[in-house]
Amino acid sequence: MNPPAPLCRLEDIPDGDAVAARVDAPDGGYELILLRQGGRAFAYHNECPHQGRNLDYAPGRFLVRDGRLICAAHGATFAVDSGDCIAGPCRGSRLVAAPVEVVDGAIVLR
Ligand code: FES
C-alpha cells in the first residue's frame, strides 16, 4: 500500500497561520483548513458549525490570531489546537477534525 499523499509541507504554512488543502475523493472530495503551530499541524474541515459556510475570507485565506481561528462570516472563534468554538454564535460546538501528522516535514492524513 502506498503511503498517503502529503497535503502540503509544514514549512509552506507560516507559523501561526493556515492554508487550505483539497482532498480528492470519489464523492467529490472536501476542503481542509491546515493550521500550523511551530512543529505541529492541525486540520479541520472547512465548514463552520454555525451556518455551514467556509471559514475563509478569500479562497484559502484565514483569520488566525493568537492560537485562534475566526470564521470570516460571523466571527465564531475556534481554538486552533482543539477546534472548540470558544466565542461567537456557535459557542460550545466544534469544527470537524481530520487526523493529520507531520512525517519528514510533510503533513499527511493518518
Ligand atoms: S458561518 Fe461561521 S460564524 Fe456564522
Side-chain angles (χ1 to χ4, degrees), residues 23-39:
V23 177
D24 293 322
D27 64 357
Y30 53 92
E31 186 172 276
L32 293 177
I33 309 166
L34 302 179
L35 300 112
R36 176 182 175 191
Q37 285 188 336

Side-chain angles (χ1 to χ4, degrees), residues 33-105:
I33 309 166
L34 302 179
L35 300 112
R36 176 182 175 191
Q37 285 188 336
R40 299 191 302 164
F42 305 90
Y44 303 98
H45 288 258
N46 188 8
E47 184 174 332
C48 182
H50 177 223
Q51 288 187 346
R53 299 197 198 179
N54 291 351
L55 283 83
D56 35 352
Y57 63 87
R61 306 292 301 269
F62 299 91
L63 298 166
V64 188
R65 191 174 306 130
D66 299 329
R68 297 170 180 204
L69 168 65
I70 302 163
C71 179
H74 312 106
T77 302
F78 302 89
V80 166
D81 60 357
S82 67
D84 291 340
C85 183
I86 53 178
C90 51
R91 187 182 174 120
S93 63
R94 63 172 38 182
L95 297 168
V96 176
V100 293
E101 61 185 340
V102 180
V103 179
D104 296 331

